[in-house]
């Protein structure tokens, strides 16, 4: 039996991932990190020329969204809001000018950065730190752009998890003792999405992201992947940021440079269960994996179908 389809993403009134013929495929969100210290070295694109070339390559390879960040998610040197703006805002404006069809996302937890990015043309605010700045979603709502609601288990920006635990709450269904993390994620994402809608973000422009690795160990991230159907059942488009993450690396005992096959396996599983948007360092490979899943789900036809017919 094919699992239920996930809720489609709509940004600026445009359904993302829907072709003119009605075919529907999950969406690739490409990554450009305007930093020198991101965990995956090929994504370090502080140089303007290299970053712009990466944006064009992402569009050519089939990305519908470009996610631009100016601060490493993990621990590292401090980056002020002003420096973050300098890293991402002029670049967003340049990409908007050169590739107007490409939807733009800014990866930030700061409302002042989000506001400047929206003014430069951003269509989506990717708040990977779960509303640490409560004004960020208000900025998105006032501008009518999309927002990503995430889960970090209360972790502060740019911190790494340490011995985090999610016990099943008293009185909750304890059928699977590992479901404590699922219950916490569902409650946090539901509350975040409801606040975003109350602030003016259209419900179909609210993405929910279980945020693998953030405030979680590898067991937690694996469990959230296997429980993707419950995330989809929240009724909002689901974003999966799985690309080359530590939970993939620890599961397979591989460095970031070797994690693409594991990432694609996780991607296919999540897409089969209805996740809609996939943040990826590897656009072409991810695009192909998602198109295969869409065809098996009977949501999009093969690009070419000649075998046995011609």
């Amino acid at each position: 039996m094919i699992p239920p389809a996930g809720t489609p993403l709509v940004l600026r009134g445009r359904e993302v991932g829907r072709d003119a013929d009605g075919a529907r495929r999950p969406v690739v969100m490409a990554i450009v990190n305007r930093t020198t210290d991101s965990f995956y070295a090929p994504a370090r694109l502080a140089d303007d020329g290299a970053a712009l070339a990466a944006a064009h390559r992402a569009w050519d390879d089939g990305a519908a969204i470009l996610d631009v960040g100016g601060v490493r998610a993990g621990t590292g040197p401090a980056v002020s809001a002003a420096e973050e703006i300098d890293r991402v805002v002029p670049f967003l404006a340049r990409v908007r000018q050169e590739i107007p069809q490409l939807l733009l996302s800014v990866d930030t937890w700061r409302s002042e950065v989000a506001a400047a990015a929206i003014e430069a043309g951003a269509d989506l605010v990717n708040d990977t730190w779960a509303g640490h700045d409560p004004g960020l979603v208000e900025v998105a709502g006032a501008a009518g752009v999309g927002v990503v609601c995430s889960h970090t288990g209360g972790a502060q920006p740019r911190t790494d998890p340490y011995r985090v635990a999610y016990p099943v709450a008293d009185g909750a269904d304890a059928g699977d003792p590992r479901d404590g993390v699922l219950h916490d994620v569902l409650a946090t994402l539901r509350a975040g999405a409801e606040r975003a809608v109350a602030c003016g973000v259209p419900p179909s422009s609210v993405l929910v992201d279980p945020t693998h690795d953030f405030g979680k160990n590898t067991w937690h991230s694996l469990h959230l992947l296997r429980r993707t159907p419950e995330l989809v059942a929240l009724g909002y488009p689901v974003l999966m940021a799985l690309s080359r993450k530590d939970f993939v690396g620890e599961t397979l005992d591989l460095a970031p440079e070797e994690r693409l096959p594991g990432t694609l396996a996780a991607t296919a599983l999540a897409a089969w269960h209805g996740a809609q948007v996939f943040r990826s360092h590897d656009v072409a490979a991810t695009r192909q994996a998602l198109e295969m899943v869409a065809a098996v789900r009977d949501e999009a036809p093969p690009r070419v179908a000649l075998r046995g017919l011609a």
Side-chain angles (χ1 to χ4, degrees):
M1 180 180 295
I2 298 175
T7 301
L9 172 66
V10 178
L11 292 176
R12 306 276 196 185
R14 162 185 161 193
E15 183 177 337
V16 191
R18 178 80 67 179
D19 292 345
D21 62 1
R24 180 180 172 192
R25 297 177 176 86
V27 174
V28 179
M29 173 191 280
I31 301 167
V32 166
N33 289 322
R34 304 284 285 142
T35 64
T36 58
D37 59 349
S38 296
F39 83 96
Y40 180 51
R44 301 169 188 167
L45 296 165
D47 177 77
D48 289 346
L52 193 60
H56 279 275
R57 186 165 56 251
W59 174 250
D60 291 342
D61 286 345
I65 306 171
L66 184 73
D67 192 41
V68 181
V71 184
R72 176 180 175 158
T75 57
V79 179
S80 68
E83 184 176 356
E84 186 180 358
I85 289 171
D86 286 343
R87 290 179 177 186
V88 301
V89 170
F91 176 73
L92 286 167
R94 180 77 178 273
V95 176
R96 170 59 72 223
Q97 180 182 33
E98 294 197 13
I99 320 173
Q101 309 97 314
L102 182 60
L103 292 163
L104 299 179
S105 169
V106 59
D107 179 358
T108 186
W109 75 91
R110 292 165 163 154
S111 57
E112 60 266 49
V113 178
I118 291 168
E119 187 174 352
D123 307 287
L124 178 69
V125 179
N126 183 10
D127 178 10
T128 52
W129 288 102
H132 176 77
D133 180 346
L136 184 146
V137 70
E138 297 170 3
V139 167
V145 303
V147 71
V148 177
C149 298
S150 60
H151 173 277
T152 66
Q156 298 296 300
R158 310 200 67 199
T159 60
D160 292 326
Y162 178 73
R163 297 191 181 279
V164 289
Y166 296 94
V168 176
D170 292 341
D173 179 8
D176 188 330
R178 298 172 295 183
D179 275 349
V181 66
L182 175 67
H183 297 162
D184 200 88
V185 168
L186 291 175
T188 298
L189 296 184
R190 185 180 295 109
E194 290 174 353
R195 180 163 188 263
V197 173
C199 287
V201 181
S204 57
S205 299
V206 176
L207 279 160
V208 292
D209 176 7
T211 326
H212 294 78
D213 281 1
F214 284 57
K216 302 167 187 73
N217 61 32
T218 289
W219 298 106
H220 296 140
S221 291
L222 288 170
H223 193 61
L224 289 169
L225 183 61
R226 70 174 62 96
R227 301 306 290 269
T228 299
E230 284 89 339
L231 299 168
V232 171
L234 285 170
Y236 299 94
V238 174
L239 167 66
M240 289 283 182
L242 309 170
S243 187
R244 299 181 181 267
K245 279 197 166 177
D246 283 349
F247 86 96
V248 175
E250 290 189 359
T251 298
L252 303 174
D253 192 17
L254 295 172
E257 294 74 21
E258 303 172 293
R259 296 174 186 174
L260 178 57
T263 295
L264 295 178
T267 294
L269 288 168
W272 174 252
H273 285 293
Q276 291 297 300
V277 182
F278 292 83
R279 188 175 183 272
S280 174
H281 298 95
D282 307 278
V283 174
T286 302
R287 174 78 270 155
Q288 291 172 22
L290 293 175
E291 291 209 11
M292 194 70 195
V293 173
V296 177
R297 284 183 53 91
D298 200 24
E299 293 177 337
R303 295 288 186 180
V304 179
L306 298 177
R307 183 174 176 83
L309 300 175

